[in-house]
């Protein structure tokens, strides 16, 4: 049986890795739905290559432009809008949904796939972090199979026994050890990070990823998001998870059992491995990844994270203890990262924007999708206010100079 796959975020980094693995196994997988937002040219290329039944653009104008370009490709139907995507990911002709849209924008379709009982390959950690309770509930009620693509959580999944629906058994687990690369600025002081540029922040030493997650890796906000992600996926409290910096990104995370055994999953820093694991699960399929050569790797180092130089992780650890806190954290972080990439704020002001939003917003655990959306909106407004204040202060200072 050929598995029919919807790739959400097809034009992104996760989308590219997913389609690369799928292409290696035409007898097993077929991409029937491709979804993106505005990247019309890349989507046209992907549609001509993979000939999906449906191509969905978040942006209606982009969908219009794509439909024009694909006039001759009659077997691909082009559409747009969140409601269409909800229908498609829930349709009977889709077996598996790859959740690779970046940020909160990916929540709605991923929730729909969960409710429809699909197999979900989850890369979009922001959806889980913002609406963890609702999302895990939808997975349970819908009878969905949830498999983590994020390399650390994928490593954890590989080191834990699972039941037929992919749920991990946590019996006798003492600790989860979540590894972090430390990002491009590992070892730097906070003062030295004042003037780093978006290009420097996006130049991750080990992983090639989209811009947003690259900045998150540089601030360690990503590790905060991943801490929350691990709590939801593996039913843990934050104190049951240790964070260890491992600069080589070869050990992708570990599980320590009560007898002292520590199981680790190792591999090249290449997302095709966790994606192939999820596509193949419970079987294994080739990923096209070069074999890991431990002799040439040479060393595996481990150290404690520096939460003084990278306060985003400390902020996440506080936010995670308050229901609804990570929804605010994640939304404010998205606004702050976009402002940093647009050169409106400094790298060292990202955490300031998040901290202010956590102070300004009166939050509690959202109980519905509407409530999550409202909390996300409120956090974005609070974050945008700090960004505006910083920008006008910087402008004044520059005029005075
Ligand atoms: P990219 O920025 O490379 O790609 C993002 C994708 O999302 C693009 O296809 C983009 O389309 C699409 N998109 C954005 N907004 C919308 C929208 N409103 N509707 C439909 N599609 C939309 O991101 P990554 O691939 O790096 O990351 C994707 C997710 O996976 C993130 O949540 C990230 O945290 C997670 N992840 C990524 C890893 C990686 O190695 N890259 C590793 C672990 C997790 P368009 O091109 O048209 O804008
Ligand atoms: Mg990760």
């Amino acid at each position: 049986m050929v598995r029919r796959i919807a790739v959400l975020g097809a034009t992104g980094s996760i989308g590219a890795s997913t389609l690369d693995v799928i292409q290696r196994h035409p007898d097993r997988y077929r991409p029937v739905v491709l979804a993106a937002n505005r990247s019309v040219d890349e989507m046209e290329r992907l549609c001509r290559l993979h000939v999906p039944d449906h191509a969905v653009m978040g942006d209606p104008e982009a969908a219009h432009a794509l439909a024009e370009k694909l006039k001759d490709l009659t077997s691909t139907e082009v559409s747009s809008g969140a409601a269409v995507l909800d229908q498609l990911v829930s349709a009977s002709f889709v077996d598996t949904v790859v959740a690779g849209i970046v940020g909160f924008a990916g929540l709605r379709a991923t929730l729909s796939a969960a409710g429809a009982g699909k197999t979900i390959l989850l890369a979009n950690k922001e959806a889980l972090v913002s609406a963890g309770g609702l999302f895990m509930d939808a997975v349970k009620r819908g009878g969905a199979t949830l498999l983590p693509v994020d390399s650390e959580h994928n490593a954890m999944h590989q080191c834990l026994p699972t039941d037929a629906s992919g749920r991990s058994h946590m019996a006798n687990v003492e600790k989860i050890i979540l590894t972090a690369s430390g990002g491009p600025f590992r070892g730097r002081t906070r003062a030295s990070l004042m003037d780093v540029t978006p290009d420097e922040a996006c130049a991750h030493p080990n992983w090639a990823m989209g811009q947003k997650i690259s900045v998150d890796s540089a601030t360690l906000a990503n590790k905060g998001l991943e801490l929350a992600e691990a709590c939801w996926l593996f039913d843990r409290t934050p104190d049951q998870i240790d964070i260890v910096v491992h600069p080589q990104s070869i050990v992708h995370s570990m599980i320590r059992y009560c007898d002292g055994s520590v199981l680790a999953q190792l591999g090249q820093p290449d997302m095709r491995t966790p994606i192939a694991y999820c596509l193949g699960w419970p079987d294994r399929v080739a990923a096209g990844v070069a074999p890991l050569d431990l002799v040439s790797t040479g060393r595996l180092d481990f150290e404690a994270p520096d939460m003084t130089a990278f306060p985003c992780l400390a902020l996440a650890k506080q936010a995670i203890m308050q229901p609804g806190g990570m929804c605010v954290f994640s939304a404010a972080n998205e606004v702050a990262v976009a402002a940093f990439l647009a050169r409106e704020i400094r790298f060292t002001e990202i955490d300031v924007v998040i901290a202010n939003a956590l102070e300004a917003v009166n939050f509690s655990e959202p109980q519905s999708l509407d409530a999550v959306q409202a909390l996300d909106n409120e956090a974005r407004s609070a974050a945008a206010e700090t960004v505006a204040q910083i920008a006008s202060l910087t402008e004044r200072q520059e005029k005075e100079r």
Side-chain angles (χ1 to χ4, degrees), residues 101-121:
I101 291 177
V102 60
F104 189 80
L107 172 63
R108 188 169 152 177
T110 314
L111 261 181
S112 298
K118 303 298 179 187
T119 294
I120 300 170
L121 275 53

Side-chain angles (χ1 to χ4, degrees), residues 125 150-153 207 209 213 222-223 226 229 271:
K125 63 192 90 182
D150 207 354
S151 59
E152 295 79 0
H153 307 76
W207 298 95
M209 309 182 285
I213 185 176
N222 184 49
K223 224 33 69 174
E226 290 185 352
E229 185 184 9
M271 288 307 292

Side-chain angles (χ1 to χ4, degrees), residues 30-51:
R30 187 166 107 73
V32 291
V33 178
L34 298 183
N37 193 26
R38 288 202 190 104
S39 302
V40 174
D41 292 345
E42 179 58 7
M43 194 63 151
E44 182 194 5
R45 190 185 72 77
L46 293 175
C47 287
R48 295 200 180 279
L49 185 63
H50 299 284
V51 197

Side-chain angles (χ1 to χ4, degrees), residues 145-176:
T145 298
L146 183 60
L147 299 169
V149 166
D150 207 354
S151 59
E152 295 79 0
H153 307 76
N154 185 270
M156 296 165 198
H157 195 268
Q158 296 204 36
C159 295
L160 290 162
T162 49
D163 66 18
S165 69
R167 275 181 69 90
S168 302
H169 293 293
M170 302 309 293
N172 302 318
V173 170
E174 217 170 55
K175 280 268 180 191
I176 289 180

Side-chain angles (χ1 to χ4, degrees), residues 173-177 239-242 254-257:
V173 170
E174 217 170 55
K175 280 268 180 191
I176 289 180
I177 304 165
D239 60 310
Q240 294 172 312
I241 302 172
D242 285 345
M254 296 170 262
I255 303 291
R256 191 174 85 217
Y257 287 93

Side-chain angles (χ1 to χ4, degrees), residues 324-401:
M326 284 308 285
C327 182
V328 175
F329 177 97
S330 185
N333 180 53
E334 275 192 47
V335 171
V337 170
F340 168 66
L341 288 171
R343 296 176 183 266
E344 290 163 12
I345 64 169
R346 292 173 187 273
F347 181 79
T348 44
E349 287 163 342
I350 294 175
D351 54 86
V352 177
V353 172
I354 300 171
N356 282 3
L358 283 165
E359 276 286 311
V361 179
N362 191 3
F363 55 84
S364 58
E365 183 72 28
Q367 303 293 338
S368 65
L369 181 56
D370 284 349
V372 176
Q373 257 148 0
L375 185 54
D376 174 86
N377 270 335
E378 214 185 318
R380 276 170 203 271
S381 305
E385 216 169 286
T386 307
V387 168
Q389 279 163 6
I390 292 172
S392 77
L393 191 68
T394 312
E395 203 182 328
R396 222 179 316 143
Q397 283 167 344
E398 270 166 15
K399 269 192 197 146
E400 282 166 13
R401 234 184 265 147

Side-chain angles (χ1 to χ4, degrees), residues 135-379:
F135 185 71
M136 295 309 285
D137 217 43
V139 167
K140 214 182 283 170
R141 275 188 294 110
T145 298
L146 183 60
L147 299 169
V149 166
D150 207 354
S151 59
E152 295 79 0
H153 307 76
N154 185 270
M156 296 165 198
H157 195 268
Q158 296 204 36
C159 295
L160 290 162
T162 49
D163 66 18
S165 69
R167 275 181 69 90
S168 302
H169 293 293
M170 302 309 293
N172 302 318
V173 170
E174 217 170 55
K175 280 268 180 191
I176 289 180
I177 304 165
L178 170 63
T179 56
S181 68
F185 304 136
R186 186 180 62 87
R188 300 263 299 255
T189 61
R190 185 163 166 80
S192 79
L193 296 173
M194 287 272 288
D195 294 319
V196 297
T197 64
D199 282 350
E200 287 169 321
C202 287
H204 196 282
N206 307 330
W207 298 95
M209 309 182 285
Q211 282 192 314
K212 194 259 175 182
I213 185 176
S214 295
V215 177
D216 287 351
S217 296
T219 60
L220 293 200
N222 184 49
K223 224 33 69 174
L225 296 172
E226 290 185 352
L227 179 64
E229 185 184 9
C231 288
W232 287 114
L233 288 174
F234 301 105
D235 197 18
R236 299 285 94 176
T237 52
D239 60 310
Q240 294 172 312
I241 302 172
D242 285 345
I243 299 175
V244 175
V245 172
H246 164 49
Q248 291 88 1
S249 298
I250 295 294
V251 175
H252 296 301
S253 275
M254 296 170 262
I255 303 291
R256 191 174 85 217
Y257 287 93
C258 62
D259 61 1
S261 297
V262 177
L263 267 58
Q265 184 262 350
L266 280 69
Q268 298 278 16
D270 185 325
M271 288 307 292
R272 289 177 301 173
T273 293
I275 289 166
Y277 169 82
C278 292
L279 283 171
W281 187 89
D283 204 352
R284 295 262 180 187
V285 298
V289 174
L292 177 63
D293 177 357
L294 282 172
V295 173
S296 72
T297 302
R299 303 172 47 151
L300 299 177
D301 296 306
F302 299 94
E303 62 194 45
D306 179 351
M307 297 214 267
T308 312
F310 304 100
C312 284
L313 181 54
L315 283 170
K317 283 189 158 193
Q318 286 163 20
I320 212 170
M321 301 308 292
Q322 303 158 273
M326 284 308 285
C327 182
V328 175
F329 177 97
S330 185
N333 180 53
E334 275 192 47
V335 171
V337 170
F340 168 66
L341 288 171
R343 296 176 183 266
E344 290 163 12
I345 64 169
R346 292 173 187 273
F347 181 79
T348 44
E349 287 163 342
I350 294 175
D351 54 86
V352 177
V353 172
I354 300 171
N356 282 3
L358 283 165
E359 276 286 311
V361 179
N362 191 3
F363 55 84
S364 58
E365 183 72 28
Q367 303 293 338
S368 65
L369 181 56
D370 284 349
V372 176
Q373 257 148 0
L375 185 54
D376 174 86
N377 270 335
E378 214 185 318

